Amino acid sequence: MSSDLTEQTITGVVQQTFDTSTDDRFRQLFVSLVQHLHDFAREVRLTGDEWFTAMDFIERLGKISSPTRQEVVLLSDILGLSMLLDTMHESPGGSVTASALLGPFYVEGRPTADNGADISNGVAGTPMFVTGRVVDERGNPIAGAHVDTWHSDGVGFYDVQLTEQLHGEFAMRALLTTDDDGWFWYRSIAPRYYPVPTDGPCGEILGAANRSVMRPQHVHFWFRADGYHGLITQLFLKDDSYIGRDAVFADRTSLQADFVHHEPGPAPDGTTVDEPFVTLDWTFTLAASTDQ
């Protein structure tokens, strides 16, 4: 290996250090990464001070991240990388429900719930009744599908942001299972639009770009069923004022839904509600897996 490296030759020298890898995909990824990273530095004539700023930024991403604060995921989201991957790998032809990013507020260990349960865990807000059906591309019901769902409260906060008020308990999130006809349903409270966290490194990027930091009102879903590709998606209030300005580019037209407002009276679950409430109904279509 020559020690007389130049601006142009160093890229190839670094790439050659991956030639001994026995993992072809690993080698492909890192050879390409080095190429693009070096090309970027040359194209913008990256300075030493800018490099130090970038290294400090990456360090702070890690330091502020936690099991309930995924700042690295948020960076991927605000740079559009998360949605790029979703669109690259979703089923072609548009016959299944569109995907939308996982987001930084998904957590493991969420409680399971029976269909019809109130998953709000006592958090105050406008009652919301969600009814969904999971089907295949022919419209046949998928029984036994696992349905993760989570959303913010009526102010715009997730349970992981309300640990003191909730004493560490989960709220507005649960794992349900579809019945024999593919249905799942639950009660919660209506979410609200909210800003992505701006008190960390990602907030600095959004501020410097004078970009919107807001997310339209939405509910998250993650579907998994034997014989089908998993689906991570969101449903958005189509009349939300922040539609078209989603900070993470996830508010796809096909995922914009009616959050229907009702006056006090009978609810979808057969109960009577003595205050205004909201209903959300949607059919989710999963793609069959070929890995069988």
Side-chain angles (χ1 to χ4, degrees), residues 53-76 199-202 204:
T53 298
M55 296 304 103
D56 175 69
F57 179 87
I58 292 172
E59 181 179 356
R60 290 188 291 117
L61 281 177
K63 286 181 176 179
I64 201 171
S65 295
S66 72
T68 57
R69 170 71 181 264
Q70 301 296 334
E71 192 79 1
V72 178
V73 174
L74 180 58
L75 177 63
S76 175
D199 59 338
C202 291
E204 297 171 14

Side-chain angles (χ1 to χ4, degrees), residues 24-43:
D24 291 340
R25 179 59 172 168
F26 171 84
R27 179 183 180 280
Q28 179 188 18
L29 290 172
F30 275 86
V31 167
S32 182
L33 174 64
V34 168
Q35 185 69 56
H36 288 287
L37 191 60
H38 287 211
D39 285 345
F40 166 77
R42 284 187 286 259
E43 178 185 343

Side-chain angles (χ1 to χ4, degrees), residues 17 44-45 59 63 92 105 121 146 150 155 183 204 210 214 255 274:
T17 64
V44 301
R45 307 311 300 171
E59 181 179 356
K63 286 181 176 179
F105 294 113
N121 196 16
H146 294 302
W150 66 101
V155 182
W183 292 99
E204 297 171 14
N210 291 317
M214 300 302 295
L255 298 177
D274 59 4

Side-chain angles (χ1 to χ4, degrees), residues 132-154:
R133 195 175 192 220
V134 184
V135 301
D136 63 19
E137 292 177 85
R138 296 182 178 180
N140 299 313
I142 301 177
H146 294 302
V147 184
D148 262 299
T149 184
W150 66 101
H151 60 80
S152 76
D153 66 7

Side-chain angles (χ1 to χ4, degrees), residues 165-182:
Q165 297 92 316
L166 293 172
H167 304 291
E169 295 183 357
F170 291 118
M172 304 162 293
R173 75 172 71 235
L175 174 65
L176 301 99
T177 303
T178 58
D179 67 10
D180 291 343
D181 294 316

Side-chain angles (χ1 to χ4, degrees), residues 194-231:
Y194 61 83
V196 299
T198 57
D199 59 338
C202 291
E204 297 171 14
I205 291 179
L206 295 169
N210 291 317
R211 274 176 50 181
S212 169
V213 301
M214 300 302 295
R215 298 227 57 215
Q217 177 179 319
H218 62 279
V219 178
H220 291 267
F221 298 93
W222 186 351
F223 299 92
R224 282 165 283 199
D226 291 340
Y228 297 88
H229 289 291
L231 172 67

